[in-house]
């Protein structure tokens, strides 16, 4: 929040036709209730890059397009594709809901004073209609898989704490449906069976695309990823 920028902007449109069309709101973007908008253009404060992106993607009604500047590394993660060095949980979570393109690089020498990092401008266009997937479910899956993206799917599900979390969620799911619970040994066997049935047990998240994650894995693991 910088009242000086708001004052400067107000000064620039004062007495001009644009003054009647401009409304300036000073506040924390991440915490503010956003009005309807069609286009978002932002030189984003880099420390809120991720919260800002997901705030935009969760906004309803959907906006048409966002043109945003980010730190170069963050931008590359947004636009990365399966198999790329930057393909990550962030890439998958954002591309589930939007088409993201890299527009241009912005060198640090374009700023005064020059920052320590390079920047890039990206374009984000939300998918309309959005996929019928709860973000919490998909994020629960990518959190597991991309914790070690070069390990196999099976290895990530066997990581410390993952099986306990899945079992806890499964018990909640069963309790709400009055279903019979499995004991711990049977539960682990069931998870292994589901992994094999997906056909992705030995796949590595670093090379799995959205369809792999969404249609083959998430559809099998929904009851385990979060309590309903």
């Amino acid at each position: 929040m910088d009242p000086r920028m708001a004052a400067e902007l107000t000064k620039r449109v004062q007495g001009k036709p644009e003054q009647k069309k401009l409304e300036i709101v000073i506040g924390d973007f991440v915490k503010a209730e956003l009005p309807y908008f069609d286009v978002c253009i932002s030189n984003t404060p880099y420390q809120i890059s991720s919260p800002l992106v997901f705030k935009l993607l969760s906004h309803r009604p959907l906006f048409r397009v966002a043109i945003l500047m980010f730190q170069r590394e963050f931008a590359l993660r947004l636009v990365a594709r399966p198999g790329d060095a930057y393909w990550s949980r962030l890439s998958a979570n954002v591309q589930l809901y939007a088409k993201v393109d890299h527009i241009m690089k912005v060198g640090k020498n374009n700023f005064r004073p020059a920052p320590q990092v390079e920047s890039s401008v990206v374009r984000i266009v939300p998918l309309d209609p959005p996929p019928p997937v709860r973000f919490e479910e998909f994020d629960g899956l990518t959190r597991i898989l991309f914790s070690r993206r070069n390990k196999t799917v099976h290895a990530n599900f066997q990581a410390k704490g993952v099986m306990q979390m899945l079992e806890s969620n499964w018990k909640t799911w069963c309790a709400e449906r009055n279903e019979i619970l499995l004991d711990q040994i049977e539960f682990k066997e069931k998870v292994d069976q589901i992994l094999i049935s997906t056909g992705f047990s030995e796949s590595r998240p670093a090379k799995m695309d959205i369809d792999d994650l969404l249609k083959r894995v998430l559809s099998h693991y929904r009851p385990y990823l979060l309590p309903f």
Side-chain angles (χ1 to χ4, degrees):
M1 295 179 284
D2 190 344
R4 296 172 302 174
M5 294 295 292
E8 176 63 26
L9 186 56
T10 301
K11 179 181 176 181
R12 291 190 182 191
V13 299
Q14 193 170 12
K16 298 180 180 179
E18 292 83 357
Q19 184 175 3
K20 295 181 180 180
K21 301 179 181 180
L22 178 66
E23 178 184 356
I24 299 176
V25 179
I26 300 176
D28 186 330
F29 181 91
V30 176
K31 297 178 180 179
E33 183 176 345
L34 302 181
Y36 167 82
F37 64 93
D38 191 35
V39 177
C40 176
I41 301 174
S42 171
N43 178 6
T44 309
Y46 292 168
Q47 68 271 21
I48 65 165
S49 294
S50 186
L52 182 142
V53 169
F54 289 107
K55 172 119 178 162
L56 288 174
L57 292 178
S58 65
H59 183 69
R60 297 294 181 273
L62 291 171
F63 59 94
R64 180 166 57 87
V65 63
I67 306 296
L68 310 169
M69 184 158 67
F70 297 112
Q71 182 175 330
R72 177 77 48 78
E73 183 178 348
F74 185 87
L76 292 177
R77 288 166 62 201
L78 286 178
V79 302
R81 303 300 300 163
D84 292 349
Y86 285 99
W87 178 246
S88 63
R89 175 185 168 196
L90 174 69
S91 316
N93 284 356
V94 172
Q95 292 176 34
L96 173 67
Y97 294 102
K99 183 177 184 297
V100 190
D101 297 300
H102 186 277
I103 296 178
M104 62 183 292
K105 297 178 180 180
V106 181
K108 56 187 177 182
N109 292 330
N110 288 285
F111 300 90
R112 295 291 183 275
Q116 298 297 313
V117 297
E118 303 287 346
S119 302
S120 283
V121 176
V122 303
R123 176 175 53 232
I124 298 179
V125 178
L127 300 181
D128 190 9
V133 179
R134 291 175 63 185
F135 174 75
E136 294 84 359
E137 291 176 343
F138 192 77
D139 184 56
L141 175 66
T142 56
R143 184 183 295 113
I144 293 171
L145 296 183
F146 285 98
S147 61
R148 301 181 299 171
R149 72 186 202 105
N150 289 311
K151 297 289 185 180
T152 64
V153 170
H154 182 268
N156 280 312
F157 272 85
Q158 300 301 317
K160 183 178 180 180
V162 171
M163 197 63 66
Q164 292 89 331
M165 180 271 291
L166 295 176
E167 185 173 12
S168 175
N169 291 346
W170 168 250
K171 288 180 178 178
T172 301
W173 191 87
C174 287
E176 293 188 355
R177 290 161 178 75
N178 295 318
E179 296 190 10
I180 299 174
L181 292 172
L182 305 171
D183 62 35
Q184 189 174 18
I185 296 177
E186 290 177 335
F187 177 81
K188 289 183 177 180
E189 291 176 351
K190 182 177 180 64
V191 171
D192 286 340
Q193 290 171 1
I194 293 175
L195 274 176
I196 294 173
S197 70
T198 66
F200 286 93
S201 180
E202 298 306 312
S203 297
R204 301 178 191 277
K207 296 184 178 181
M208 295 175 69
D209 62 23
I210 298 292
D211 285 343
D212 296 336
L213 298 169
L214 188 60
K215 297 179 180 178
R216 302 295 182 86
V217 181
L218 181 61
S219 61
H220 290 78
Y221 274 95
R222 247 185 191 140
Y224 309 98
L225 294 174
L226 77 166
F228 284 75

